[in-house]
């Protein structure tokens, strides 16, 4: 299994500002994923980030709002840009498990509150 | 739009009670179903990967069953303990990819 850390663990931000969330993995992985859980909602996939290529965004998410970097096989960042209160969520990163059953390992999440 | 539903949304049980939750998912194009336990401020922890119709898996006091024909999975906890308090999530890999569709989760609170 992979051990994943995220920074920050939580933050309170003002609307109109941006926050960059870091995700660090203790082993090299090809695929990394970013999810969001808004209050009362399901975890929803934002994008898939593969090293050496542009992130692939899911419907409803755009690069201008959620730019992602993937500079190497152990690290990724997600930026939440021009934040509004609707961006208040838990943001999780995850990595492929490599088991053949599409298992994923998750970070502990970043709890973001936008005021 | 594919839908993965979990019920109940939340429940409180007394220590020692047994309980179960349901995850409903699309029965077509099934590849696997994952159960996770998510405690506050911690990483979601993988409990089970269910792949075959009729699968039954067990880990200590927790077990899960799978019915791919009708599109549901049950998670059972026998003799609940306060440390079982968490949100239990099921995740459905979409079309044989790593794109998970999650249910909203079942929030369990075990009262001592």
């Amino acid at each position: 299994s992979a051990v994943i850390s995220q920074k920050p663990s939580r933050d309170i931000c003002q609307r109109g500002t941006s926050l960059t969330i870091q995700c660090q993995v203790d082993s090299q992985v090809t695929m990394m994923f970013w999810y969001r859980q808004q209050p009362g909602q399901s975890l929803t996939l934002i994008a898939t980030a593969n090293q050496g290529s542009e992130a692939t965004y899911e419907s409803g998410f755009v690069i201008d709002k959620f730019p992602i970097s993937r500079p190497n096989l152990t690290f990724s960042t997600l930026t939440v840009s021009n934040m509004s209160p609707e961006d208040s969520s838990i943001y999780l990163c995850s990595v492929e498990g490599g088991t053949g059953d599409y298992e994923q390992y998750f970070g502990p999440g970043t709890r973001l509150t936008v005021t | 739009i594919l839908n993965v539903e979990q019920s109940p949304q939340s429940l409180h049980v007394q220590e020692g009670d047994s309980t179960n939750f349901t995850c409903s998912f699309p029965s077509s194009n099934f590849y696997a179903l994952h159960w996770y336990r998510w405690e506050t401020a911690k990483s979601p922890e993988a409990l089970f990967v269910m792949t075959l119709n009729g699968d039954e898996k067990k880990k200590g006091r927790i077990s899960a069953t799978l019915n791919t024909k009708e599109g549901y999975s049950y998670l059972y906890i026998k003799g609940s303990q306060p440390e079982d308090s968490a949100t239990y999530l099921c995740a459905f890999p979409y079309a044989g990819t790593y794109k998970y569709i999650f249910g909203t989760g079942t929030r369990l609170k075990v009262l001592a």
Side-chain angles (χ1 to χ4, degrees):
Chain A
S1 65
V3 177
I4 303 169
S5 60
Q6 283 186 235
K7 290 182 183 178
S9 58
R10 58 174 61 229
D11 208 341
I12 301 173
C13 300
Q14 291 191 342
R15 68 175 67 205
T17 63
S18 298
L19 176 72
T20 295
I21 301 168
Q22 298 179 5
C23 179
Q24 180 76 51
V25 191
D26 69 343
S27 57
Q28 293 184 338
V29 292
T30 301
M31 301 175 76
M32 296 181 77
F33 310 92
W34 287 98
Y35 290 85
R36 175 179 79 176
Q37 186 186 46
Q38 294 176 301
Q41 304 295 314
S42 305
L43 272 166
T44 301
L45 182 63
I46 298 172
T48 302
N50 291 339
Q51 196 268 334
S53 62
E54 294 287 325
T56 303
Y57 289 84
E58 298 302 307
S59 176
F61 298 97
V62 294
I63 187 171
D64 289 347
K65 176 67 176 177
F66 298 102
I68 289 171
S69 78
R70 183 77 201 275
N72 57 53
L73 291 172
T74 63
F75 187 78
S76 179
T77 66
L78 170 78
T79 298
V80 187
S81 303
N82 189 24
M83 288 184 284
S84 67
E86 292 71 37
D87 294 318
S88 298
S89 299
I90 298 174
Y91 292 86
L92 284 177
C93 68
S94 72
V95 303
E96 55 178 323
T99 61
D101 292 327
Y102 309 104
E103 189 169 20
Q104 293 182 27
Y105 301 117
F106 288 86
T110 295
R111 186 178 294 269
L112 171 62
T113 302
V114 184
T115 60
Chain B
I1 297 177
L2 297 179
N3 224 19
V4 176
E5 297 183 350
Q6 291 187 247
S7 62
Q9 283 194 328
S10 66
L11 74 163
H12 292 181
V13 301
Q14 293 291 326
E15 182 176 357
D17 286 351
S18 294
T19 187
N20 64 85
F21 334 127
T22 305
C23 172
S24 301
F25 53 85
S27 56
S28 59
N29 295 319
F30 177 85
Y31 289 87
L33 186 86
H34 295 265
W35 281 101
Y36 288 87
R37 175 169 59 200
W38 191 10
E39 296 179 65
T40 303
K42 294 185 178 180
S43 303
E45 171 197 0
L47 289 174
F48 302 111
V49 181
M50 315 293 289
T51 55
L52 297 175
N53 185 43
D55 252 358
E56 183 169 346
K57 296 199 174 180
K58 189 175 181 180
K59 183 185 290 187
R61 294 179 292 98
I62 305 177
S63 60
T65 61
L66 179 69
N67 183 323
T68 59
K69 294 181 180 179
E70 297 184 31
Y72 65 83
S73 177
Y74 292 140
L75 188 78
Y76 301 91
I77 302 179
K78 185 178 178 181
S80 302
Q81 300 296 309
E83 57 264 31
D84 296 327
S85 298
T87 296
Y88 291 82
L89 299 170
C90 64
F92 182 79
Y94 173 67
T97 71
Y98 279 97
K99 296 183 182 181
Y100 275 8
I101 300 172
F102 278 93
T104 50
T106 294
R107 184 176 296 180
L108 173 67
K109 177 74 173 177
V110 181
L111 306 171

